[in-house]
Amino acid sequence: MTNLKDKRILLGVTGSIAAYKAADLASRLTQGGAHVDVILTRAAEGFISPLSFQSLTGKKAFTDKELWGGEAHVLHVGLGHTADLLLIAPCTANTLAKLAQGQANDLLSITALAAQCPTMVAPAMDVGMYEHPATQENVRILQERDVYFAGPGEGRMASGLVGKGRMVEPAELIGHIRCVLGIGGKLAGKKIVITAGGTQEPIDPVRFITNRSSGKQGYALAQAAVDAGAEVTLISTPTALLPPIGARLVLARTAQDVLEAVLAASTGADALIMAAAVADFRPTKVAGKKLKKRDGIPQITLEAAPDVLKKVASLKADAERPRVVVGFAAESRDLLKNASEKLSSKKLDLIVANDISAEDAGFDLDDNRVILLFADGKQEKLSLRSKFEVAEIILSQIEILLENT
Ligand code: CTP
């Protein structure tokens, strides 16, 4: 389960055509295990009904009718005090202005003033409105007050204009929410470096040697680390995956690029997780021009690519080497024997071994079946589970290892 589980999210919806996206967002948050209370402004009710939200969250959606009801005080104070996050999405220029000025003339703005949790806004307005000096001043005031801004994104507006002002898509908003909910989590203050994907060793300008790694396990590790509040550097080969919001992405193509990026990020890091499938061999020479058929079948000779973990093992323990180093072992035979050898030869604290011959787990799939082997000889066999769940378990083990180093 992600860090949305059992969190109380107060979702304010204001009067924008993007209000329909808030329904998708409420649904995703609820499916993620969050408890979502929705407050609609009067203008929002013109775009979407409270019933839509009620149906998606299983909870009563509040409107200004409740503000003038008998429980008004209890309601706004209660909602504002028990929430883990107040998220206003979409947030109009008018609501931004009200928040900046501390106005309190409807249920949402009153609740925002009473709220004791972090506030995040996802602005949605036309280009000119967002760029107007008055709105920009309000943005600045709110940012100074530590209000988180998710977007706005660029694109085509309902008016037909193109520019900045679109509400960010719900999937991306979930990333921002997870990042903010992670603050103060169990890995808060920890610097974690994660590598992901299969390296690409060029033959010529259009061809390269690569492998079947999709990067999914590494990206799941990065998201789980952000969820837990860590400061994450994700060193990734080119993949089709979206990096988690909150992680610092460093693109690396070859084994040499990964090596350089890992060495640069390792100083002062608490943990390094080498989930990338780094090439063992690379072409000795890279042709400067595309190899042509008419020139015959090329003879490609290979040389050893740098072994990143071996280099990390040789770093000075206190200053340059991350306190905890975790490797992966993808094996098609003698899983435990080969993984144990890598554990000791690469001086790892933990190695995550997986049998790549299994058809239901591993390369490019969403699930993984792994065995954890620790430097002290302890072993833990995990049943088939999602790569995200595997990531959460690895990070819990890293947390324990960090406590003991
Ligand atoms: N690794 C590395 N540099 C390499 C190759 C691998 O740092 N050039 C890391 C991987 O990221 C992984 C671990 O070493 O965490 C084991 O990788 P794996 O490919 O299973 O083992 P190799 O050491 O490459 O040995 P072999 O391919 O012969 O099994």
Side-chain angles (χ1 to χ4, degrees):
M1 271 294 176
T2 71
N3 70 352
L4 295 174
K5 174 100 178 88
D6 290 333
K7 293 286 166 32
R8 305 196 74 88
I9 312 279
L10 192 48
L11 173 61
V13 182
T14 70
S16 152
I17 180 59
Y20 75 93
K21 292 188 191 172
D24 183 12
L25 181 67
S27 165
R28 286 170 189 255
L29 290 169
T30 307
Q31 283 176 41
H35 305 284
V36 186
D37 285 305
V38 178
I39 299 177
L40 291 96
T41 61
R42 257 183 72 185
E45 283 187 79
F47 289 93
I48 190 161
S49 81
L51 186 60
S52 303
F53 288 103
Q54 253 160 250
S55 314
L56 293 166
T57 64
K59 299 176 88 180
K60 181 176 168 55
F62 301 104
T63 65
D64 277 352
K65 276 197 212 86
E66 276 76 33
L67 175 61
W68 312 117
E71 287 177 84
H73 175 75
V74 183
L75 182 64
H76 74 256
V77 173
L79 290 175
H81 282 200
T82 54
D84 293 294
L85 177 71
L86 166 63
L87 166 67
I88 306 182
C91 185
T92 57
N94 181 45
T95 299
L96 270 187
K98 281 166 67 169
L99 291 174
Q101 290 166 17
Q103 279 188 27
N105 56 6
D106 61 6
L107 181 59
L108 180 59
S109 54
I110 294 172
T111 308
L113 270 189
Q116 297 190 333
C117 57
T119 301
M120 183 189 287
V121 294
M125 64 198 74
D126 222 13
V127 191
M129 293 171 75
Y130 183 69
E131 282 168 1
H132 193 283
T135 305
Q136 287 301 309
E137 178 66 4
N138 292 332
V139 170
R140 193 191 56 75
I141 290 171
L142 291 170
Q143 279 173 337
E144 263 176 18
R145 272 186 225 148
D146 289 335
V147 169
Y148 297 93
F149 276 74
E154 294 206 23
R156 194 177 175 281
M157 311 281 158
S159 63
L161 293 174
V162 177
K164 207 166 178 188
R166 275 175 70 94
M167 179 174 135
V168 296
E169 294 303 317
E172 193 184 328
L173 254 179
I174 295 280
H176 286 278
I177 295 166
R178 287 170 74 167
C179 183
V180 171
L181 291 176
I183 294 169
K186 54 190 184 159
L187 289 174
K190 299 286 185 293
K191 290 188 177 155
I192 307 217
V193 181
I194 298 165
T195 66
T199 52
Q200 302 177 348
E201 300 299 332
I203 295 170
D204 69 9
V206 292
R207 303 177 179 94
F208 51 77
I209 300 173
T210 189
N211 57 66
R212 288 181 56 204
S213 172
S214 64
K216 284 183 180 173
Q217 186 62 71
Y219 275 61
L221 278 157
Q223 180 64 70
V226 169
D227 276 11
E231 202 180 297
V232 180
T233 301
L234 173 62
I235 298 169
S236 174
T237 63
T239 70
L241 304 170
L242 286 176
I245 305 256
R248 186 173 73 94
L249 181 71
V250 179
L251 272 177
R253 188 175 286 270
T254 64
Q256 182 64 31
D257 296 341
V258 174
L259 174 68
E260 285 167 19
V262 165
L263 293 181
S266 283
T267 305
D270 292 286
L272 165 67
I273 313 175
M274 281 291 297
V278 184
D280 293 323
F281 318 107
R282 65 184 176 194
T284 316
K285 270 195 248 144
V286 182
K289 297 239 157 43
K290 187 184 170 195
L291 298 174
K292 300 296 287 176
K293 257 196 302 228
R294 63 168 178 260
D295 297 329
I297 297 172
Q299 299 299 308
I300 299 168
T301 44
L302 301 175
E303 63 180 13
D307 188 315
V308 180
L309 279 178
K310 285 238 165 96
K311 279 264 163 35
V312 170
S314 69
L315 296 175
K316 277 198 255 85
D318 287 340
E320 299 164 338
R321 195 173 129 85
R323 286 162 62 204
V324 168
V325 181
V326 178
F328 274 70
E331 306 291 346
S332 56
R333 63 188 160 179
D334 300 327
L335 180 65
L336 290 179
K337 182 173 165 286
N338 285 330
S340 310
E341 274 171 22
K342 286 175 191 171
L343 178 69
S344 58
S345 70
K346 300 195 183 208
K347 292 198 188 135
L348 305 175
D349 301 283
L350 163 63
I351 193 154
V352 183
N354 66 330
D355 179 355
I356 51 166
S357 60
E359 282 193 359
D360 56 351
F363 286 131
D364 211 20
L365 298 171
D366 293 327
D367 293 331
N368 221 348
R369 187 189 290 106
V370 302
I371 305 176
L372 309 183
L373 287 82
F374 295 84
D376 64 3
K378 197 177 75 179
Q379 288 186 8
E380 198 178 326
K381 192 171 179 175
L382 305 180
S383 56
L384 184 69
R385 58 191 75 214
S386 74
K387 287 186 174 169
F388 185 75
E389 286 168 329
V390 170
E392 286 187 314
I393 293 171
I394 294 169
L395 287 163
S396 307
Q397 294 301 333
I398 289 175
E399 196 194 334
I400 297 169
L401 289 166
L402 283 172
E403 273 165 19
N404 300 332
T405 50

